[in-house]
Amino acid sequence: MNKTDNSELNKAQFGDNFKWGVSTAAFQIEGAHDADGKGLSIWDVFTSQKGKVKGGHHAMTACDFYSSYKNDILLLGELNIPNFRFSLSWSRILPNGTSPVNQAGIDYYNQVIDFLLECGIEPWITLYHWDLPHELELKGGWTNRDSIAWFENYTEICAQNFGDRVKNWMIINEPSVFTGAGYFLGIHAPGKRGLSNYLKAVHHVTLATTAGAKVLRNIVPDANIGTTFSCTHIEPASTKKRDVAAAKRVDTLLNRTFIEPILGLGYPQADLPVLKKLNRYILPEDEKNMAFDFDFIGLQCYTREIVRASIFTPYVGAALVTAEKRNVPFTEMKWEVYPPSIYHLLKKFDTYKGIKKIIITENGAAFPDTVSNGEVKDNERTKYIQDHLQQLLKAKKEGVKVEGYFVWSLTDNFEWAEGYHTRFGLIYVDFDTQQRIIKQSGQWFRKFLSNHI
Ligand code: BGC
């Protein structure tokens, strides 16, 4: 991508109805882990255990969004960002997961929603962004089939309390990441491992996604309902048959396992045989309950992976050839910077007939930002966003139904197992003083959104 291309990039090219925004998540920004009656979440517990998060970082304060939400919402306004995606903390609303309701939690989100609306910013709620109430984890968490009913109950309370003003909803954030990292590999909360934990979680999360969506549809009939999936463009390391087959299995695992059942296509068991082991958890009525007619699908795309066959990895028989090894540019997360990835993924998901509309609900990058003379010159991030927008535009011009783009994230925040080591924000946060500095990428985004480019 050359410079001239990006200098020609402007908001008008995307059309008047295109949704521009930023995304965040409760656990990563709020802090106030035990304020005003909040219960513990699995991430509160996980971060308190030794060796789980880099540098022993925790999120008891994080970005202090709980207290300073007004300040950050004013910054959103300053950046001209019209849509704000944030998640609700289940254990702030239901400290024990099921009942009683913590009125202070409801009041808090009402204040956030009302202030957003007062500032002319549209709220986009994610119901679940990985912070399950700890009390529910003690009962097995997502491995327990009751999790579907727990989630329906939580959704009902959120829909009843916020549905009069909030019209854009996402049910679950990136199921493949939190089931894989949290229930198979044990590197995210709740730190469970093994195939049976993973498969049970996969199936219950799938059913909870559509069950939650149905509850929301009944209570807020005019809601714009979506759910989000992490997706990664996959390519084989060579044209050898075994590498091509390995790439297909990884693509199935990462990109197809969750979306296909909700589109009524069932689990893609033919292309990833280990998913046949899900059958022992599938009840006769599940097949029809797994599907829902979503208004939009949120795709969250950061990178691509190159895959080769490997007999050492159980179940998928594949290994990733890292960006470092391939000697290509990568971010602080060690993820390759490969903008065409978003184009390929948009084209791929657009081929599913059941998807009415796609919104990129996350895209962004971590780079080693430094403050110098009160400024953060994060040119790499600006270029990353611009290059991805060019690729999105290319797909849109070819007819892909992509109707929105949300940057991850508004501010630097708590990046799960990486703690505060990796910064994704358009706004820099000094975590000792909570001071904010709008980075150059944020300044660029502001100009872009104001049609000044
Ligand atoms: C998640 C975010 C996360 C981001 C960067 C997504 O997987 O939804 O919570 O911070 O990517 O890793």
Side-chain angles (χ1 to χ4, degrees), residues 259-270:
I259 183 108
E260 295 197 359
I262 68 142
L263 295 176
L265 304 171
Y267 292 112
Q269 296 177 329

Side-chain angles (χ1 to χ4, degrees), residues 179-404:
T179 54
Y183 288 86
F184 182 74
L185 298 170
I187 54 171
H188 273 193
K192 282 196 164 124
R193 284 170 215 267
L195 189 64
S196 80
N197 282 326
Y198 170 71
L199 293 174
K200 281 187 252 177
V202 167
H203 189 50
H204 300 149
V205 169
T206 299
L207 286 164
T209 306
T210 51
K214 284 172 196 165
V215 169
L216 198 56
R217 180 71 89 223
N218 283 336
I219 301 175
V220 193
D222 58 343
N224 180 32
I225 305 178
T227 193
T228 78
F229 298 101
S230 118
C231 54
T232 303
H233 177 54
I234 304 295
E235 286 178 27
S238 77
T239 50
K240 280 185 208 138
K241 239 178 158 180
R242 57 201 173 98
D243 286 341
V244 172
K248 187 164 188 177
R249 289 191 297 274
V250 172
D251 177 57
T252 307
L253 176 71
L254 299 184
N255 296 323
R256 299 174 50 200
T257 301
F258 284 92
I259 183 108
E260 295 197 359
I262 68 142
L263 295 176
L265 304 171
Y267 292 112
Q269 296 177 329
D271 290 328
L272 186 61
V274 67
L275 295 181
K276 291 189 182 140
K277 292 187 194 286
L278 277 165
N279 294 349
R280 63 181 78 151
Y281 309 114
I282 302 180
L283 303 184
E285 69 272 19
D286 287 356
E287 206 76 49
K288 70 170 184 343
N289 288 336
M290 270 150 61
F292 183 80
D293 189 19
F294 280 98
D295 298 313
F296 72 95
I297 291 299
L299 296 183
Q300 324 207 132
C301 153
Y302 290 86
T303 189
R304 82 166 160 178
E305 294 291 355
I306 303 292
V307 171
R308 63 175 172 78
S310 163
I311 49 163
F312 301 108
T313 323
Y315 314 120
V316 280
L320 305 179
V321 187
T322 63
E324 243 170 330
K325 268 201 191 132
R326 288 183 279 125
N327 208 13
V328 292
F330 55 87
T331 68
E332 286 274 280
M333 298 292 282
K334 306 240 183 322
W335 297 343
E336 182 186 4
V337 176
Y338 187 71
S341 178
I342 201 168
Y343 168 81
H344 293 302
L345 288 161
L346 282 166
K347 295 289 274 191
K348 177 184 172 74
F349 279 81
D350 198 54
T351 60
Y352 286 117
K353 284 203 182 69
I355 298 185
K356 291 181 185 155
K357 195 197 288 184
I358 300 173
I359 293 186
I360 297 294
T361 37
E362 283 183 28
N363 174 243
F367 290 112
D369 301 320
T370 49
V371 183
S372 161
N373 297 326
E375 287 184 324
V376 181
K377 295 190 173 164
D378 58 335
N379 299 334
E380 281 172 295
R381 181 174 294 103
T382 309
K383 182 162 166 40
Y384 178 100
I385 295 171
Q386 291 170 338
D387 290 350
H388 281 76
L389 285 176
Q390 290 282 11
Q391 294 290 329
L392 184 154
L393 197 56
K394 182 176 163 202
K396 193 167 166 58
K397 282 182 180 157
E398 289 174 19
V400 172
K401 305 173 288 292
V402 53
E403 296 187 15

Side-chain angles (χ1 to χ4, degrees), residues 73 76 84 86 111-121 123:
I73 292 172
L76 268 171
F84 181 54
F86 61 102
Q111 285 159 22
V112 172
I113 293 162
D114 290 343
F115 194 63
L116 282 166
L117 293 172
E118 214 178 298
C119 296
I121 298 164

Side-chain angles (χ1 to χ4, degrees), residues 23-25 28 85 129-130 173-174 177 188 228 230 300 302 333 335 361-362 364-366 408-409 413-416 418 422 424:
S23 290
T24 62
Q28 295 180 270
R85 174 177 172 235
H129 201 126
W130 305 358
N173 183 70
E174 296 190 350
V177 177
H188 273 193
T228 78
S230 118
Q300 324 207 132
Y302 290 86
M333 298 292 282
W335 297 343
T361 37
E362 283 183 28
W408 182 270
S409 185
N413 57 47
F414 178 80
E415 177 52 36
W416 309 112
E418 302 298 314
T422 43
F424 276 89

